[in-house]
Amino acid sequence: LVTTFLVEMDGLKSKKDLETVIVLGTTNKKHLMDPAILRPGRFDLHVNVPLPGNMERFQFIETFMKRTVDENGNNRYKLSENDISYLIEKTTDASFADLDSLFKEAAMDALREDINSTCVTIRNFKIN
């Protein structure tokens, strides 16, 4: 797969009818990338986006909770300030995608417990 990808990327340079081609790639595990993919001429610019800090994770949780209200205006995530502080403390190495997945998995856990569940509580979050 890597060889095919590299051949295709190198082939883009030889296309005469293409004025500009931009190839954008993202990963959160750059250390696992094949060095041939990262060599000059393939992905020339590497931009590091750091993991979110405590404030960014708080804002994510706050925004996520605002988006998850039912038809009566009740929040489906029943989390106290202490619960939110606990989540922020336990997710220091989490990206926004990780947080999104964590919240969705907590909702699935609530439904596994009770298919008629209408809320998610801190006990539904499976964090080490």
Side-chain angles (χ1 to χ4, degrees):
L1 185 61
V2 172
T3 302
T4 302
F5 177 70
L6 295 174
V7 167
E8 291 298 324
M9 280 192 70
D10 291 342
L12 289 174
K13 292 179 187 171
S14 65
K15 303 276 187 202
K16 301 282 188 235
D17 57 337
L18 297 178
E19 288 183 29
T20 302
V21 175
I22 297 175
V23 178
L24 177 69
T26 64
T27 182
N28 59 353
K29 299 190 188 306
K30 184 179 171 190
H31 62 282
L32 297 178
M33 297 291 294
D34 187 306
I37 293 173
L38 301 175
R39 76 166 174 77
R42 295 216 168 103
F43 287 104
D44 293 329
L45 179 62
H46 300 182
V47 178
N48 181 39
V49 178
L51 292 173
N54 290 350
M55 181 56 76
E56 289 87 5
R57 289 193 312 282
F58 172 77
Q59 290 171 338
F60 175 90
I61 292 169
E62 188 178 59
T63 301
F64 191 95
M65 290 177 59
K66 285 178 183 175
R67 291 187 341 209
T68 55
V69 295
D70 63 19
E71 58 279 351
N72 299 321
N74 299 317
N75 198 305
R76 294 179 190 268
Y77 288 84
K78 304 294 184 201
L79 300 175
S80 68
E81 287 183 29
N82 286 340
D83 295 338
I84 293 171
S85 293
Y86 173 78
L87 288 173
I88 290 169
E89 175 187 320
K90 291 295 187 177
T91 58
T92 55
D93 292 331
S95 67
F96 289 131
D98 295 330
L99 290 173
D100 187 63
S101 178
L102 178 68
F103 271 73
K104 288 177 181 174
E105 187 56 39
M108 291 301 296
D109 184 71
L111 290 173
R112 283 186 207 103
E113 283 183 8
D114 176 7
I115 194 66
N116 298 313
S117 177
T118 59
C119 70
V120 179
T121 64
I122 193 66
R123 68 177 162 59
N124 298 117
F125 287 84
K126 306 303 181 207
I127 304 175
N128 298 333

